[in-house]
Amino acid sequence: MSIWEYANPKKFITITTPLVPWILGLAIACLVVGLVWGFFLTPDDFRQGSTVKIIYLHVPAALMAINAWFMMLLASLIWLVRRHHVSALVARAAAPVGIVMTLITLITGAIWGQPMWGTWWAWDPRLTSFLILFLFYLGYIALWEAIEDPDTAADLTSVLCIVGSVFAVLSRYAVNFWNQGLHQGTSVPVVTGGRTISDVFFVPLVICMMGFGLLFFVLVLIRTQTEIRVRRMRAIQLRMRS
Amino acid sequence: MIPDLGIYAVEVTSAYVLSISLLITILVLSLLRARKIRAQLLKVEASRLLNNV
């Protein structure tokens, strides 16, 4: 069976509907376990004190904010190349979830930065690229809402998504490109594997990352199903009017 | 049971409250909209069948 068969809207809904409650349950379980563990059961950092507990929100949210955009990029490219409507709707459905993740990253970063750096905000490469990513999310959502014809909206938002991907890449790798700035390098480098964070903090962090990832995934499924239904409803209404 | 957050209690607590509120908001809004649209679609499909379109 080809993967493109899942691009059939009816099949997408049939396959994903029974999965939603399980994934949602798993996401909530991971989030509750990870956040309770992180908040109540981990020690303070010797330098950052109890503010280290913000890591369980800030890092998973940042991870998902960037990955959501990459997922939207992939879905947009599939739309541009293969014209599968479900892929365009997946990208549309992911954007509001991505912007919430970006907002959480910015808010928790500011709250964490104030006591550690002495400032809520600095025009640091990573912070600035994240702010621009947030603005791209806003623009992306606004563009979808502004254009009536869904195919034209999908085309234009796909182009915007490709342009915005530069800032998604910068958000992740800005700390490697430029040394200046307040933001530290990553504590959990995926490529090199040499993490600089103790197991005491790392285990609940991984559980929170899984929770945020699963929550993002299930929200995209739910919202994509809704977008498919909205489109079907409009098609029926148009047919009935004509 | 409540951990001693020391001088950063306000910062840590507000980060958790704000973030969890945002996550719950997007989840609830998504579920409510899904339910509303599902109900609307059922109505539209029913009227289509009635009108034999």
Side-chain angles (χ1 to χ4, degrees):
Chain A
M1 192 168 108
S2 161
I3 191 172
W4 302 115
E5 287 181 36
Y6 294 103
N8 176 310
K10 207 169 178 184
K11 201 164 217 166
F12 180 89
I13 288 185
T14 310
I15 291 169
T16 55
T17 299
L19 295 177
V20 164
W22 293 100
I23 302 171
L24 182 60
L26 196 58
I28 291 172
C30 283
L31 282 172
V32 170
V33 170
L35 291 176
V36 167
W37 187 342
F39 188 83
F40 291 100
L41 305 172
T42 57
D44 289 355
D45 179 64
F46 78 101
R47 200 176 289 157
Q48 303 186 53
S50 62
T51 61
V52 73
K53 293 177 193 294
I54 298 175
I55 201 173
Y56 306 109
L57 298 162
H58 183 72
V59 171
L63 182 79
M64 289 323 299
I66 300 168
N67 286 344
W69 194 274
F70 285 140
M71 201 219 72
M72 285 160 57
L73 172 68
L74 186 66
S76 299
L77 289 173
I78 291 172
W79 161 255
L80 289 174
V81 175
R82 299 194 66 117
R83 312 303 281 182
H84 286 307
H85 286 94
V86 171
S87 64
L89 296 178
V90 164
R92 183 180 189 175
V97 191
I99 202 171
V100 166
M101 297 296 177
T102 314
L103 197 57
I104 291 174
T105 310
L106 289 169
I107 290 171
T108 53
I111 293 172
W112 200 355
Q114 211 287 327
M116 292 302 106
W117 299 338
T119 180
W120 299 97
W121 179 261
W123 295 103
D124 159 289
R126 182 171 264 193
L127 274 67
T128 308
S129 55
F130 242 95
L131 179 65
I132 296 172
L133 182 65
F134 177 75
L135 296 175
F136 263 98
Y137 268 118
L138 273 182
Y140 182 90
I141 294 168
L143 195 56
W144 262 112
E145 297 299 325
I147 299 166
E148 208 167 313
D149 177 54
D151 285 3
T152 312
D155 285 340
L156 294 177
T157 52
S158 296
V159 174
L160 182 69
C161 189
I162 292 167
V163 176
S165 300
V166 175
F167 291 95
V169 172
L170 276 181
S171 305
R172 177 162 288 171
Y173 298 108
V175 284
N176 301 336
F177 295 155
W178 296 288
N179 284 325
Q180 76 270 25
L182 289 170
H183 202 287
Q184 66 175 73
T186 177
S187 303
V188 192
V190 178
V191 179
T192 59
R195 64 187 155 90
T196 57
I197 179 172
S198 157
D199 282 347
V200 176
F201 304 113
F202 183 65
V203 177
L205 178 61
V206 170
I207 296 171
C208 286
M209 284 173 169
M210 284 165 55
F212 271 76
L214 287 167
L215 184 67
F216 170 78
F217 183 51
V218 77
L219 280 170
V220 171
L221 289 184
I222 293 168
R223 298 181 70 90
T224 305
Q225 289 181 351
T226 306
E227 294 299 337
I228 289 170
R229 291 191 173 108
V230 167
R231 197 167 278 200
R232 175 160 172 73
M233 195 160 64
R234 284 189 189 145
I236 294 171
Q237 285 169 336
L238 277 174
R239 218 177 302 158
M240 283 168 71
R241 262 180 238 150
S242 59
Chain B
M1 186 64 191
I2 299 289
D4 179 17
L5 300 173
I7 55 169
Y8 303 124
V10 174
E11 286 87 348
V12 177
T13 312
S14 59
Y16 272 77
V17 169
L18 287 170
S19 303
I20 292 170
S21 304
L22 280 169
L23 290 178
I24 291 173
T25 304
I26 184 83
L27 178 63
V28 170
L29 287 179
S30 302
L31 290 173
L32 286 178
R33 183 161 181 258
R35 202 166 68 169
K36 187 178 138 193
I37 295 294
R38 214 170 22 228
Q40 283 179 354
L41 179 60
L42 282 175
K43 234 184 242 176
V44 170
E45 280 181 334
S47 67
R48 183 187 67 143
L49 284 174
L50 274 176
N51 295 321
N52 209 12
V53 180

